[in-house]
Amino acid sequence: PPTSNTDGSPLTNLAGYIIRYGTDLGSLATEVRVANPGLTTYVISDLAPATWYFQVTAYNSSGVESSPSATASKTIS
C-alpha cells in the first residue's frame, strides 16, 4: 500500500483502492472498489478471452483519489 501522498506528506487515512479494467486500453470502463486498505490481493474472475488492461488508484477517507498506477495487461485465452 502507498505510504505517502503525491505531495510527499505521510498518508494517514488510506480508505481503499479502485481497480479499473477493460479490453480497450483507452477506456477502462469497469471498476471494482475495494474498501479494505489492508488488502494486497484481489481476484477478478470470469474474464472472457481477450487482452485485458488494468489500473489501480488509491483513495483516502475524504474520497481524494491518487493518480493511476502504470497499466498492466493480461491475455486470457
Side-chain angles (χ1 to χ4, degrees):
T3 57
S4 61
N5 293 303
T6 54
D7 66 1
S9 63
L11 176 60
T12 58
N13 59 346
L14 179 63
Y17 305 96
I18 301 170
I19 304 167
R20 290 187 176 86
Y21 63 99
T23 56
D24 179 356
L25 181 57
S27 176
L28 303 179
T30 306
E31 73 176 37
V32 175
R33 287 187 171 263
V34 180
N36 179 348
L39 205 62
T40 59
T41 302
Y42 189 88
V43 176
I44 298 173
S45 57
D46 299 324
L47 296 175
T51 298
W52 291 85
Y53 300 95
F54 302 86
Q55 289 182 338
V56 178
T57 59
Y59 65 92
N60 66 22
S61 59
S62 299
V64 177
E65 197 173 333
S66 71
S67 299
S69 67
T71 303
S73 66
K74 175 69 177 174
T75 300
I76 306 295
S77 48

